[in-house]
Amino acid sequence: MAEFMPEVKKIGTLWTGQVIRISDAGDLITNFLSDELTPLNKTSKLWFTVGEHKSIIRGLLSPSEKRNDARPVARMGTSGFVEIGIPMGSAQQYFNA
């Protein structure tokens, strides 16, 4: 049986996605395709607003890029989707997901 994947809604420059699963480490895996956003990240200002918290995450990190603070990050996940994470923490707990 095929797994249902919610579609990213695109209205002009506003794209709306969803969390499709949560990793064992507490990262929020979205339905945004990393390959689709990578070119935009190089040419545009890219940011993500997360849930009811309205936390703004600026930019998209490559899988190997690291940050040492406690702010949420968006990165190209190894699964091919954008992941929202917290360095040294859990985005699931941070966002009550």
Side-chain angles (χ1 to χ4, degrees):
M1 183 174 188
E3 185 177 324
F4 172 73
M5 178 64 64
E7 184 177 338
V8 173
K9 295 179 179 137
K10 301 174 183 177
I11 301 173
T13 60
L14 176 64
W15 293 13
T16 304
Q18 297 177 21
V19 173
I20 55 174
R21 67 181 174 271
I22 299 172
S23 74
D24 292 340
D27 291 339
L28 309 179
I29 302 169
T30 71
N31 61 334
F32 291 113
L33 294 172
S34 297
D35 289 345
E36 193 171 16
L37 292 180
T38 299
L40 296 175
N41 193 45
K42 294 177 182 177
T43 61
S44 305
K45 292 183 180 179
L46 187 63
W47 68 88
F48 300 86
T49 304
V50 181
E52 296 173 6
H53 299 284
K54 303 295 184 203
S55 293
I56 296 175
I57 301 170
R58 299 192 186 277
L60 182 64
L61 302 179
S62 73
S64 61
E65 285 182 86
K66 305 286 184 206
R67 286 232 315 251
N68 295 323
D69 56 35
R71 294 180 297 157
V73 297
R75 68 177 159 268
M76 296 173 269
T78 56
S79 65
F81 296 97
V82 172
E83 300 177 3
I84 306 297
I86 304 287
M88 309 295 276
S90 167
Q92 179 182 18
Q93 290 177 344
Y94 185 90
F95 292 110
N96 282 331

